[in-house]
Amino acid sequence: MYTFSSKLKTFSFILMAVGLLGIGYGFLNAPKDIQEVEKILAAESHGGHGEATHETAEPAHEAHAEGKKEHAQVGAADEHTKHLNHVLHQLQNKPWSALYVACIFFLLLSMGVLAFYAIQQVAQAGWSPVLFRVMQGITAYLPVGSVIFFIILVFCGLHFNHMFVWLGDGVTDPKSPNYDAIIANKAGYLNFPFWIIRAAIFLIGWNLYNYYTRQRCLAQDEAKDDLNYKKNFKMTAGFLVFFIVSESIMSWDWIMSIDPHWYSTLFGWYVFASFFVSGITTIALVTVYLKSKGYLEHVNTSHIHDLAKFMFGISVFWTYLWFSQFMLIWYANIPEEVTYFVTRIQLYNLPFFGAVVMNFLFPLLILINTDFKRISWVIVMAGIVILLGHYLDFFNMIMPGTVGDRWFIGVSEIASVLFFLGLFIFVVFTALTKAPLLPKRNPFIEESKHFHY
C-alpha cells in the first residue's frame, strides 16, 4: 500500500494556501468602477505599463483626450464611457479567467486520464494493467474538480463576471443597445438553462463511470471469476460513445462559446488532443515519482517507454490538428473566421507560438529517441514542458475572448495554477493510499507484469 508522505502533503497544503492568497489578491485588486479604470488608462497613456499594454494605451489616450476636448458632445462622451466599461469588464474578468483556465485544465487533465484508462480497458491491452491504480488515483480528482468547475459555471450564469458575452443582458433582445444578431440566432442553444443542464449531464455522466469502473476493478481483486471485469468492459464501451459526444459538445459550450461569433468544426478534436496528452503525461510523471519511492515494483522501463511513446504520438497528433485548423482558416481568409487567429497572433504572439514550440518541437526533439523514452529524468523534463505548454494552450483558447489585450501572466494566473496543483496533488495521492497499487485479478495482469518491449 502506498503511504502519502508528510512532506508531499505539506507541500500540497502550502501550494493551496499560497494559491488562495494570490487568488484573493487578484480579485481584490481588480477595478470596481470606471473611475478606477480611467486612472489606470491615464497612467498607461503616460507609459506606466510600457510595451505590454501598448495596444490599449493609444486608443485609451485618444478616447480620454477626445472626451475632455469634446465634453459638450454627448456622442463622444458615450463612446468614452462605453470604452471604459469595456476595459472594466476585461480587467474584472482577469482573475475569473485565470481561475477558469486553471480549473478547466486540471479537470480535463483528469478526464484525459479517464479516457486513456477506458481505451485500455476496451482494447484489452496487455501492457497497461499494472498502471490502472495510478490512473484511478489521478481520476479521483474528477469529482472534486467537477464540483468547483460547476460552481464557477453557475457564477458565470449569475453575472458574477462577463466571460461569456452571450450571457450578457439584452444580447438577444432586438430593442436592446446590446443586441447581437449572431448570438440571437444561436439563442436556442446558447441559453443559460440549457447550457448548465448540459454541463450537469456531462459532469455527472463522467463521474458515474469513474465511480463504478473503480468499484468493479476493486471488486475484481476479491472475486473468483471475471464477471466484474466483463461488466466493466461492457460499461466502458458504452462510456466511450458517451464521452466522445459529450467531449465535443463540452468544448463548444465551455471554450468555443467564449468567442460566440467564431466556430471550428475541428475544435472538439483539438481540445481532446490537448487534454488527452496532458493526462497521459501526468500518468507518466506520477508513475516515475512512485517508482522513485520504491513502489510499483512490476512497472519496468518498457511501461515507461510506452507511456513516452503516447506522449510523443499524441503531441504530434495535437500539432496536426493545430496546423489543420490554423492553415485552413488562415488560407480561406474569411473575416469572421480569421479574426480568431489575428487576435491571438497580434496580442498573444509569445504564448500562441510558444505553445507550439513547447507542445511539438520540444517533445519531437526529446522523445523521438527510443533510448530517451526509458530515462526517468528525461520523461520528467519533457512532461513538465508538455504540461506547461498545454496550460498555455488553454490560456490561448480562453483569455483573448475574456480579457482581450489586458492579459499578462501575473499573480492571478500563477496563484490559480498553484492552488489547483496543490489540490490535485492532495486528492490524487490521498486516493492512491486507499487501495493496493496492483490490481491482483485483472485477466491481463500477468502479461502486464512481464511486459517487455
Side-chain angles (χ1 to χ4, degrees):
M1 293 284 286
Y2 169 71
T3 302
F4 193 179
S5 73
S6 58
K7 288 184 180 179
L8 186 59
K9 187 179 292 186
T10 303
F11 178 64
S12 69
F13 287 145
I14 291 172
L15 288 177
M16 284 189 278
V18 172
L20 280 175
L21 289 173
I23 291 168
Y25 173 82
F27 278 102
L28 290 173
N29 209 39
K32 307 298 184 293
D33 51 43
I34 60 175
Q35 285 74 30
E36 290 187 42
V37 172
E38 201 155 18
K39 291 177 183 177
I40 293 170
L41 296 181
E44 289 177 2
S45 68
H46 291 92
H49 286 270
E51 293 181 9
T53 54
H54 183 264
E55 296 289 339
T56 51
E58 288 296 328
H61 176 67
E62 291 172 10
H64 188 64
E66 186 179 350
K68 282 189 172 181
K69 291 177 182 177
E70 304 176 16
H71 183 67
Q73 297 184 13
V74 177
D78 286 346
E79 282 299 313
H80 180 55
T81 302
K82 186 177 179 181
H83 173 70
L84 290 176
N85 276 313
H86 177 65
V87 176
L88 174 64
H89 288 169
Q90 287 181 326
L91 292 173
Q92 289 179 336
N93 278 344
K94 192 173 182 298
W96 280 106
S97 300
L99 191 67
Y100 189 86
V101 172
C103 184
I104 197 171
F105 176 72
F106 281 96
L107 171 69
L108 293 184
L109 182 153
S110 63
M111 266 309 300
V113 175
L114 187 64
F116 186 72
Y117 169 80
I119 291 168
Q120 298 302 307
Q121 287 270 27
V122 167
Q124 296 185 326
W127 72 276
S128 55
V130 291
L131 299 171
F132 279 179
R133 291 290 156 79
V134 175
M135 299 180 200
Q136 290 168 0
I138 297 170
T139 59
Y141 176 80
L142 187 61
V144 178
S146 297
V147 170
I148 298 173
F149 185 72
F150 190 78
I151 291 171
I152 294 175
L153 293 183
V154 171
F155 282 158
C156 291
L158 296 177
H159 305 291
F160 278 74
N161 55 63
H162 306 274
M163 289 175 53
F164 294 89
V165 295
W166 57 268
L167 284 170
D169 294 329
V171 292
T172 60
D173 182 4
K175 298 178 182 178
S176 170
N178 298 325
Y179 177 69
D180 188 312
I182 295 176
I183 295 176
N185 286 332
K186 300 179 180 182
Y189 181 81
L190 284 182
N191 61 82
F192 180 68
F194 190 25
W195 182 70
I196 203 69
I197 288 170
R198 290 196 301 272
I201 291 171
F202 299 157
L203 293 172
I204 290 170
W206 299 342
N207 279 282
L208 283 176
Y209 169 74
N210 183 44
Y211 174 78
Y212 283 110
T213 190
R214 176 174 169 81
Q215 292 304 109
R216 284 176 177 163
C217 187
L218 293 174
Q220 183 64 34
D221 280 359
E222 309 301 326
K224 296 180 179 179
D225 55 29
D226 293 334
L227 183 61
N228 286 296
Y229 174 82
K230 292 175 181 177
K231 287 181 178 179
N232 229 351
F233 176 85
K234 292 178 182 177
M235 181 177 64
T236 301
F239 166 75
L240 283 174
V241 176
F242 171 75
F243 167 75
I244 204 63
V245 174
S246 60
E247 183 278 328
S248 292
I249 300 173
M250 168 277 295
S251 68
W252 309 335
D253 285 1
W254 300 346
I255 302 176
M256 194 162 68
S257 72
I258 288 172
D259 296 277
H261 288 192
W262 178 82
Y263 67 91
S264 167
T265 54
L266 198 63
F267 196 72
W269 282 106
Y270 176 77
V271 174
F272 167 73
S274 190
F275 71 74
F276 191 53
V277 71
S278 299
I280 295 169
T281 301
T282 304
I283 296 170
L285 292 179
V286 174
T287 301
V288 169
Y289 172 78
L290 291 174
K291 281 289 291 180
S292 72
K293 297 299 179 182
Y295 298 97
L296 301 176
E297 64 273 17
H298 297 291
V299 174
N300 56 47
T301 56
S302 293
H303 296 101
I304 304 297
H305 178 272
D306 271 22
L307 286 172
K309 281 198 297 185
F310 277 106
M311 289 165 61
F312 172 78
I314 307 301
S315 292
V316 174
F317 178 57
W318 174 88
T319 310
Y320 160 72
L321 295 173
W322 183 94
F323 179 75
S324 298
Q325 183 172 254
F326 172 77
M327 183 270 294
L328 290 172
I329 291 175
W330 192 259
Y331 184 75
N333 202 26
I334 300 171
E336 59 266 29
E337 293 184 358
V338 78
T339 184
Y340 182 86
F341 287 106
V342 169
T343 301
R344 282 151 179 81
I345 290 172
Q346 289 183 350
L347 303 180
Y348 290 73
N349 192 274
L350 182 60
F352 183 71
F353 290 109
V356 179
V357 173
M358 296 171 76
N359 297 331
F360 172 60
L361 286 181
F362 188 83
L364 179 71
L365 295 174
I366 297 297
L367 295 178
I368 199 169
N369 187 299
T370 298
D371 293 333
F372 283 0
K373 294 187 181 78
R374 296 175 181 270
I375 302 174
S376 295
W377 71 264
V378 172
I379 301 299
V380 172
M381 177 181 65
I384 290 172
V385 172
I386 289 171
L387 289 179
L388 289 174
H390 284 285
Y391 167 80
L392 270 187
D393 190 29
F394 278 88
F395 185 90
N396 293 330
M397 285 189 269
I398 292 165
M399 285 292 188
T402 59
V403 303
D405 53 3
R406 312 301 308 181
W407 77 275
F408 61 91
I409 297 180
V411 173
S412 294
E413 289 75 15
I414 295 171
S416 296
V417 171
L418 292 180
F419 171 75
F420 283 104
L421 176 60
L423 182 63
F424 183 82
I425 291 172
F426 177 75
V427 172
V428 168
F429 286 94
T430 299
L432 289 172
T433 66
K434 304 296 184 183
L437 294 180
L438 184 72
K440 292 179 285 188
R441 284 211 71 262
N442 184 288
F444 297 94
I445 195 63
E446 289 303 318
E447 180 180 348
S448 185
K449 285 180 182 178
H450 299 94
F451 172 70
H452 289 284
Y453 174 78

